């Protein structure tokens, strides 16, 4: 694999995780196919094990809280590429807030994922979300 291809893949994978955060922040559930494969598996303490795009989208829709918004910030992204697949890990800080107000709840997460190159670009095939800490504001 050329250095140029490797760099392009890493940039596209970083963009994928940015799109993942924006999907969650903006509630654009109809765009989930631009982030996940159709057979995606999501493992999280809140949702348990979710399989398939429809089940994942259904869970995300169900988790909406009226008036509450979120801001996901992904950091320390590390991708180990192996052809058309990559093992990815990252940290995520999530701020829950109401418009115009400071966050009332914050959490730190660890993400580990398998991403694959699809015809339309890189997609998340499997992701494990591990909460590391939370802080409720008074």
């Amino acid at each position: 694999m050329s250095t140029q291809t490797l760099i392009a893949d890493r940039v596209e994978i970083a963009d994928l995780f940015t799109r993942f955060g924006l999907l969650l922040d903006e509630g654009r559930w109809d765009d989930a196919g631009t982030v996940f494969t159709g057979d995606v598996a999501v493992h999280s303490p809140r949702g348990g094990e979710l399989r398939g795009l429809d089940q994942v989208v259904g869970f995300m829709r169900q988790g909406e809280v009226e008036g509450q918004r979120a801001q996901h910030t992904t950091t320390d992204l590390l991708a180990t590429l192996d052809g058309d697949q990559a093992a990815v890990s990252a940290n995520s800080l999530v701020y829950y807030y109401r418009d115009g107000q400071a966050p009332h709840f914050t959490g730190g997460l660890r993400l580990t994922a398998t991403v694959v190159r699809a015809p339309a670009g890189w997609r998340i095939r499997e992701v494990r979300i591990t909460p590391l800490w939370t802080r409720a504001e008074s």
Side-chain angles (χ1 to χ4, degrees):
M1 176 180 300
S2 74
T3 300
Q4 188 171 2
T5 301
L6 181 63
I7 291 169
D9 285 341
R10 288 181 181 278
V11 168
E12 288 178 34
I13 291 168
D15 285 353
L16 171 64
F17 278 79
T18 298
R19 290 196 324 271
F20 180 27
L22 288 172
L23 173 82
L24 297 170
D25 292 348
E26 298 172 0
R28 293 183 294 108
W29 313 133
D30 293 338
D31 293 340
T34 67
V35 172
F36 301 112
T37 62
D39 63 346
V40 64
V42 176
H43 311 273
S44 78
R46 281 187 43 214
E49 185 174 314
L50 304 166
R51 293 211 171 260
L53 195 55
D54 290 341
Q55 193 175 46
V56 169
V57 169
F59 178 77
M60 290 187 298
R61 285 185 195 279
Q62 175 188 358
E64 291 181 313
V65 175
E66 188 169 334
Q68 179 172 273
R69 300 178 45 92
Q71 180 183 30
H72 290 74
T73 304
T74 304
T75 67
D76 305 322
L77 188 81
L78 180 62
T80 304
L81 286 106
D82 183 14
D84 290 339
Q85 181 170 301
V88 180
S89 64
N91 291 312
S92 183
L93 296 174
V94 185
Y95 304 92
Y96 294 93
Y97 66 97
R98 299 191 185 285
D99 284 335
Q101 297 179 14
H104 58 270
F105 189 80
T106 307
L109 308 172
R110 184 76 178 147
L111 308 174
T112 54
T114 300
V115 301
V116 295
R117 187 189 319 269
W122 288 91
R123 299 292 185 265
I124 298 170
R125 176 181 286 157
E126 184 169 10
V127 62
R128 184 168 304 278
I129 302 163
T130 306
L132 300 176
W133 58 268
T134 60
R135 180 175 63 201
E137 304 299 327
S138 30

